[in-house]
Amino acid sequence: MPNFCAAPNCTRKSTQSDLAFFRFPRDPERCRIWVENCRRADLEAKTSDQLNKHYRLCAKHFDPAMVCKTSPYRTVLKDTAIPTIFDLTSHLKNPHTRHRKRIKELTEEDLRKIKERRLASSIEQLASKKDGAVEDSSSTNEDEPQLSTEEKEFRDHLRSLFEVVVMLGKQSIPVVACKVSVAEHISSNLQALVDYRMNAGDEALKKRFQATAVNTEYLSATQQSQLLDVCENTVREEMLMEVRESRFFSLVTGDLVDFANEKHLPLFLRYVNQQNVLREEFLDFMSFDGDENALVERLEAQLTDRWGLSMEECRGQAHKATGTSTTKMKAVAVLLMQKYPLALHMPCSHMALNIHLANSLPFPNVQVVMETLRRVKVFLSTPFAQEELEKAISTHYQKNEEKGNTLKLACGSEWTEKHSVFDVLLDMLPPLLLCMDSIRDNDDGKFSDAVTADAYSITETLSDFEIIVTIIILKNVLTFTRAFGRNLQGETLDVFFAANSLTAVLHSLNEVNDNIDVYHEFWYEEAVSVAIVMEIPVNVPRLFLRKQRAADAGEVHAEVYFKEYVTVPVIHGVMQEVEDMFSETNLKALKCLSLVPAVMGQMKFNTTEENYAEVYRTDLPSPDTLPAELHCWRIKWKHRGKEVRLPTTIHETLQLPDVKFFPNVNSFLKVLSALPALKLEENKSDTASDRLQAYLDSMSSKQWNKSLAMLNVNTHVKHDLDVMVDKYCRLYPEDDPEAEAESEEVAEAEAESEAVAEAEAKSEEVAEAEAKSEEVAEEDAAMK
C-alpha cells in the first residue's frame, strides 16, 4: 500500500515520487509537537503508537538540514527533526473544496505555547551549532543513523532481485515459461535466474535463501508481482519527471492489446525535454472496458491522480485506432476536446493519412479491406511467402517487365503502411491471388496447414466483387488527399504548405461529391474490368439480395447498389473526417510553423504569426510583448550574414543558443513541436510504438507482461537499483527486517496478553468452583 502524507493541503503519496516518507515518532513529547505543527485536530486524540504505525509526513515538510541520506538507498531524519514547512492557506482559495484533513484554528494560548517552544528550540539549536563547530567534521557522520547488518543484507538481497528483473525486461524474457506438457511445468524464468545467481556465488541471495524456512516459498508470486510493479513505477517516474519539467505534452494511443482476455489501450506521451529534444515515450496500458464517458474518466484519472499531470497542459491527442475501436476513440477525442479545447485532435505522424482516413470510416466493407491489409502484411512475413509473391508478379506481368519490377520493389518494403497503399494493392491484386492459390496448392510442401488455411481465407475475401469495388473507390477518393498527407508527414516547410493547401483539397472532394454520378460511372467500369481479368463474378452481395427478397422489393442493379452503399458513404465519410481532423484551430496551430526561420525565408519574411498566436496566448510567458518580439525575430533572420544558414526544423531552431532571448518564440516552438501530427525528428526509425510492437511480436500473447513490456520498451531510460530498493522498502514495509521485528514484538505481546487473560480466566473458574463447593458444604451442614 502507498504511504500518504498526513500534512494538510498535501496530496503527495509514495507511488508518485521518490520522496522519503517518515513515521511519526514514538516518543510522546516529540509526537505531540509534530501533531501541533501539522494543525490536525483529528490527530490529537490518537496515541503516539497509533500515529507511528498509521501516519507519515513527506520530506517536503522538514528543513533540508534535518534530512540525512546515509546511503544511496536510505534517507533518515535527525533525532531532533521537527516538521516546520506547511501549507495552511491554499485551501482558502477554493472554500467549496472538500478537505479530509481539516486544519485546527489556534487560540491565543496555543500561539503562546508555540512561541515558547520555538524560542527554546532555537536556543538548543544555537548551542548544538557551537558544539558542532568545535568537533571535527569526521565525527558528524558518526551521529547519523547507520544501517544494521540485517538491513544491509536485506537490501543487498533486494538489489540482486531487481537486477534480475531488469535483465528479464531488457532481454524480452517472459517471467513464466511455456508448459511442456500437462504433467510437467517449467519453473518461472525469474526463479530460475535467481537460482542461477545463487549457484554462481551471489552471497546476498544465498544468505536469504538459507534463512528461509524449509516449507516457505523463497520467491512467491506476490513478491514477484511487487518487484515488477516497483521496477515499472520507477522507470515511469523517471520519464514523468521530464514530462512535468517540460510542462506541455500530447497524448497518443496505440492499437489495442489483449492482456488476460481484457483489451488494454497503450498510452504514449509526446513532449520536448530539457535538452529541447522531442520525445515520445510509452508509459502504461489502460483498460478499454466501458463506454466513452467511462474511458475518458479513466484516462483523466490515470494522467492526473496516478501520474501527477494536468490535462490543462495537454496540447494534442492522436488515436491510432483500428476496426470497431475507431468509433469509440473518435467519441473519446470529442469528449476530451469539449473539456480541454487546446487538446487538439490530430492524425498521428506514425500512420499515413490515407490509412488513418480509411480506418476512420465505420463501414463494414471498408473495415474488411483494412483488416485484410493487416492480415496480408503478417502473412507475407512468413518464410517463403514473399518469394512466392515475387514469382506470381513475374508470371502476371511477364509482358510488362518494367511494371513487374516496380511492383516487386514496392512490395519489398512496408507498402501496406504507405500513402499509396490502395494504388499498390489494386496493381497487386491479380498476382496476390495467384500467389495465394499457389500456396494453397502447396505442391512443394513448404507451407504448414495453418499457412495454407490463411491463404484460402485471404483469397476468399479478395475474390469478392464488393471488396474489389471498395478498394477502387478508396483508391480514387483518397487520391485527392494523398499529396496532402505526404506533405503533412514531411519536413516543416512541407507541413506549413500542407496547412495552407487544405482548402484546395476540400474543394476537390466537394467537386467529386457534386458530380458523383459521373465519377461513380468511371470507377464502377474500372472495377468491372478488374473483376473480368481476375475472373470474379460481378454481382450484388448475397446478404443484401436476401434482405431485398424478404422485403419483397424490386431488383436492384449492381451499379446503383454500389453507388448508394459504397461510393457515396465513402466520399461523405472522407470529407467529414478531413474537416474534423483539420478544424480552424488545428490549421491555425500548423500555420504557426512560420516561426521556423527556413519557412520565414521561403515566405520572404512576410509572415503573420500574430494572427494565429491567440490559440496559445495563455501558454506564453509574456503575451503582451509578443508582437514586438516577433518583429525582432523576423529582423534577426532577415538581416543575417550570408554565411548563416536558416534552421529548417523546430528542433534545429530550439538548439540555437540565442533562442532563449526570445522567450515567447521559445515557448511557442516547444508547444508546436509536441503536436502529434508532426514527425519525430530524432530516432524516427525506432519509435516507442515500434519497440512495443517488437516486444509483443517476440513472444506468445500468454506470456505478455505489462511491467516487463514497460521495461523492454524503455531500456534507454536510466534506472537506479538503489532507488528501487528504497521504494520497495517504503511500499512493502512488512518485508523490511525492522518491520518484521516490530511485528514479532507485537505478536509476542499479544501472545503474552492472551496467556495472561487465559490464566486469569482459569483462576476465576477455580475460584468460582471453590465458592460453589463451600456453598454446597454450608447447605449440607444447615440441613444436618
Side-chain angles (χ1 to χ4, degrees):
M1 291 294 291
N3 293 321
F4 294 86
C5 185
N9 293 327
C10 182
T11 59
R12 298 182 185 91
K13 57 183 179 181
S14 57
T15 55
Q16 290 182 346
S17 66
D18 290 326
L19 274 178
F21 280 70
F22 305 108
R23 300 171 185 264
F24 275 67
R26 281 201 178 95
D27 177 56
E29 182 59 25
R30 281 191 66 212
C31 189
R32 182 183 62 79
I33 296 174
W34 280 37
V35 173
E36 285 184 2
N37 286 8
C38 282
R39 299 265 297 273
R40 289 279 302 276
D42 56 314
L43 300 184
E44 292 181 352
K46 301 184 184 297
T47 65
S48 58
D49 288 336
Q50 290 174 325
L51 292 168
N52 176 265
K53 185 175 181 180
H54 300 292
Y55 293 89
R56 311 280 191 278
L57 286 179
C58 69
K60 289 290 185 181
H61 305 292
F62 296 87
D63 189 297
M66 295 289 103
V67 182
C68 307
K69 201 168 183 68
T70 59
S71 72
Y73 46 83
R74 182 171 174 80
T75 305
V76 297
L77 286 175
K78 289 187 176 180
D79 293 338
T80 57
I82 291 175
T84 55
I85 305 171
F86 293 97
D87 173 16
L88 303 174
T89 59
S90 65
H91 66 286
L92 300 175
K93 298 177 183 178
N94 190 2
H96 301 291
T97 304
R98 182 180 177 184
H99 289 276
R100 179 175 57 85
K101 299 177 278 192
R102 298 194 178 277
I103 301 174
K104 177 184 177 182
E105 298 293 335
L106 296 179
T107 63
E108 293 183 1
E109 181 66 19
D110 294 331
L111 291 172
R112 184 183 62 79
K113 290 181 179 179
I114 290 173
K115 289 180 181 179
E116 291 177 355
R117 188 175 68 249
R118 287 181 179 173
L119 179 61
S121 174
S122 61
I123 295 173
E124 290 178 3
Q125 290 180 6
L126 183 61
S128 64
K129 286 181 180 178
K130 290 181 179 179
D131 295 338
V134 177
E135 294 178 359
D136 186 67
S137 59
S138 61
S139 64
T140 57
N141 293 331
E142 298 175 0
D143 297 333
E144 295 178 357
Q146 299 294 322
L147 290 175
S148 66
T149 304
E150 289 183 356
E151 288 177 321
K152 191 173 185 310
E153 289 179 353
F154 177 70
R155 282 164 168 73
D156 289 341
H157 151 75
L158 284 177
R159 199 178 194 282
S160 296
L161 292 179
F162 279 121
E163 199 169 348
V164 172
V165 172
V166 170
M167 192 273 288
L168 285 176
K170 283 189 173 183
Q171 299 301 321
S172 192
I173 301 174
V175 175
V176 180
C178 293
K179 290 185 178 181
V180 178
S181 66
V182 178
E184 182 183 1
H185 187 278
I186 301 176
S187 64
S188 75
N189 291 327
L190 180 57
Q191 182 68 62
L193 286 171
V194 169
D195 294 341
Y196 176 81
R197 286 196 59 145
M198 283 193 291
N199 294 331
D202 192 317
E203 294 299 327
L205 291 175
K206 193 178 293 186
K207 284 182 180 179
R208 185 79 177 179
F209 175 74
Q210 293 172 351
T212 305
V214 177
N215 295 328
T216 304
E217 190 176 8
Y218 175 66
L219 195 60
S220 65
T222 301
Q223 190 176 11
Q224 290 183 29
S225 177
Q226 292 170 352
L227 292 168
L228 289 167
D229 287 343
V230 169
C231 279
E232 175 188 351
N233 292 330
T234 303
V235 172
R236 181 185 297 111
E237 182 60 30
E238 190 68 33
M239 291 185 294
L240 285 174
M241 287 172 63
E242 279 195 341
V243 181
R244 296 187 194 108
E245 289 172 355
S246 65
R247 184 183 170 189
F248 301 113
F249 64 91
S250 287
L251 174 67
V252 180
T253 63
D255 289 330
L256 294 179
V257 179
D258 286 335
F259 280 108
N261 298 322
E262 291 185 4
K263 294 187 180 299
H264 287 77
L265 192 67
L267 301 180
F268 303 84
L269 289 187
R270 180 180 286 210
Y271 61 95
V272 179
N273 63 15
Q274 293 300 303
Q275 289 73 42
N276 291 327
V277 177
L278 178 62
R279 306 291 304 172
E280 185 175 298
E281 304 292 0
F282 167 65
L283 284 170
D284 206 355
F285 291 100
M286 187 184 73
S287 174
F288 198 65
D289 292 338
D291 59 7
E292 294 84 358
N293 291 300
L295 201 58
V296 169
E297 291 178 3
R298 194 178 304 125
L299 190 58
E300 288 180 296
Q302 188 101 329
L303 287 166
T304 56
D305 298 342
R306 186 175 177 187
W307 292 353
L309 302 175
S310 172
M311 278 300 294
E312 298 291 344
E313 313 295 351
C314 181
R315 291 295 171 264
Q317 52 173 321
H319 307 292
K320 187 182 175 183
T322 56
T324 55
S325 64
T326 306
T327 305
K328 189 173 180 179
M329 291 310 301
K330 286 171 66 175
V332 168
V334 171
L335 290 173
L336 284 175
M337 282 196 66
Q338 288 175 355
K339 288 187 174 183
Y340 311 101
L342 288 181
L344 304 180
H345 183 207
M346 291 185 168
C348 182
S349 62
H350 306 324
M351 182 184 290
L353 179 63
N354 278 357
I355 295 179
H356 174 84
L357 292 173
N359 280 331
S360 301
L361 299 176
F363 311 125
N365 53 332
V366 176
Q367 292 304 318
V368 168
V369 171
M370 301 311 295
E371 178 60 29
T372 304
L373 269 174
R374 291 188 284 271
R375 290 176 60 195
V376 168
K377 176 186 175 182
V378 175
F379 184 87
L380 292 178
S381 64
T382 57
F384 309 114
Q386 189 70 30
E387 295 178 10
E388 290 293 333
L389 179 60
E390 292 181 4
K391 289 179 184 178
I393 292 173
S394 299
T395 302
H396 183 75
Y397 290 103
Q398 56 185 347
K399 295 181 180 180
N400 190 350
E401 293 185 3
E402 183 179 353
K403 187 170 184 178
N405 293 331
T406 303
L407 204 56
K408 286 181 184 179
L409 292 175
C411 72
S413 57
E414 297 290 332
W415 65 274
T416 58
E417 298 177 2
K418 291 188 175 181
H419 300 276
S420 57
V421 55
F422 299 107
D423 298 79
V424 177
L425 178 59
L426 188 59
D427 291 335
M428 199 178 289
L429 269 179
L432 189 59
L433 284 180
L434 188 63
C435 167
M436 295 299 168
D437 290 339
S438 176
I439 293 175
R440 283 171 57 191
D441 295 339
N442 199 18
D443 295 332
D444 300 332
K446 293 188 296 187
F447 301 99
S448 65
D449 293 339
V451 173
T452 57
D454 287 342
Y456 176 80
S457 176
I458 293 173
T459 302
E460 289 296 305
T461 301
L462 294 178
S463 57
D464 186 345
F465 182 66
E466 183 181 18
I467 299 302
I468 301 297
V469 174
T470 304
I471 292 172
I472 289 175
I473 299 301
L474 287 172
K475 186 262 296 187
N476 287 288
V477 172
L478 295 177
T479 299
F480 299 101
T481 60
R482 186 169 59 195
F484 172 76
R486 188 180 290 113
N487 288 335
L488 195 66
Q489 293 181 341
E491 301 301 327
T492 307
L493 187 61
D494 297 328
V495 179
F496 176 76
F497 286 120
N500 287 277
S501 68
L502 181 66
T503 304
V505 173
L506 290 173
H507 176 76
S508 300
L509 292 172
N510 276 302
E511 194 271 336
V512 172
N513 185 51
D514 293 340
N515 300 279
I516 193 67
D517 293 335
V518 177
Y519 281 96
H520 174 72
E521 183 179 350
F522 282 111
W523 296 343
Y524 182 75
E525 289 178 0
E526 183 182 0
V528 171
S529 62
V530 170
I532 292 173
V533 171
M534 298 173 60
E535 299 178 348
I536 295 173
V538 177
N539 52 24
V540 177
R542 180 187 59 82
L543 182 61
F544 178 79
L545 290 176
R546 184 167 61 82
K547 290 181 178 179
Q548 288 292 99
R549 294 192 192 100
D552 197 19
E555 184 179 356
V556 176
H557 294 289
E559 184 176 352
V560 176
Y561 167 82
F562 288 113
K563 173 191 169 184
E564 184 177 352
Y565 291 99
V566 180
T567 304
V568 172
V570 166
I571 188 67
H572 288 174
V574 170
M575 290 173 60
Q576 186 62 50
E577 188 65 21
V578 170
E579 291 176 357
D580 292 343
M581 295 297 293
F582 300 97
S583 62
E584 183 180 355
T585 306
N586 292 23
L587 291 179
K588 282 183 178 180
L590 293 177
K591 288 178 180 179
C592 289
L593 291 172
S594 58
L595 285 169
V596 176
V599 180
M600 280 185 175
Q602 192 70 24
M603 300 295 293
K604 307 300 182 183
F605 300 96
N606 186 24
T607 56
T608 55
E609 299 86 2
E610 50 265 42
N611 293 341
Y612 314 117
E614 289 298 321
V615 179
Y616 299 114
R617 184 176 180 83
T618 57
D619 299 336
L620 304 180
S622 304
D624 294 335
T625 63
L626 180 63
E629 187 176 315
L630 290 176
H631 176 72
C632 294
W633 181 252
R634 282 192 289 269
I635 295 298
K636 166 185 167 62
W637 295 107
K638 185 175 182 179
H639 299 289
R640 71 192 187 284
K642 293 183 178 180
E643 70 284 355
V644 178
R645 186 182 69 87
L646 292 175
T648 59
T649 65
I650 297 179
H651 175 71
E652 285 185 28
T653 309
L654 288 174
Q655 297 300 322
L656 297 173
D658 52 351
V659 74
K660 61 185 177 183
F661 299 116
F662 299 87
N664 288 316
V665 172
N666 191 22
S667 298
F668 225 138
L669 290 173
K670 286 184 177 180
V671 174
L672 293 175
S673 184
L675 294 178
L678 303 181
K679 70 173 186 177
L680 292 167
E681 296 165 2
E682 297 292 319
N683 300 323
K684 57 184 178 181
S685 61
D686 184 25
T687 61
S689 58
D690 292 336
R691 296 195 297 272
L692 175 61
Q693 191 59 48
Y695 169 81
L696 298 175
D697 293 340
S698 65
M699 64 183 71
S700 168
S701 59
K702 295 180 180 179
Q703 295 177 310
W704 289 345
N705 182 281
K706 290 191 286 186
S707 298
L708 289 185
M710 179 74 182
L711 294 174
N712 182 264
V713 175
N714 298 299
T715 52
H716 60 286
V717 179
K718 68 175 183 177
H719 59 273
D720 192 333
L721 297 177
D722 295 327
V723 171
M724 293 180 184
V725 170
D726 189 38
K727 183 174 288 188
Y728 185 93
C729 292
R730 285 190 281 111
L731 289 175
Y732 309 105
E734 66 274 8
D735 295 333
D736 200 319
E738 286 184 356
E740 290 177 0
E742 290 176 9
S743 61
E744 289 176 0
E745 291 176 2
V746 171
E748 290 176 1
E750 290 177 352
E752 289 179 3
S753 61
E754 288 178 1
V756 170
E758 289 179 2
E760 290 178 352
K762 288 182 179 179
S763 62
E764 289 177 359
E765 290 177 359
V766 171
E768 288 178 0
E770 291 179 353
K772 286 182 179 179
S773 61
E774 289 179 359
E775 289 177 1
V776 171
E778 290 177 358
E779 290 177 358
D780 291 342
M783 291 176 65
K784 290 179 180 179

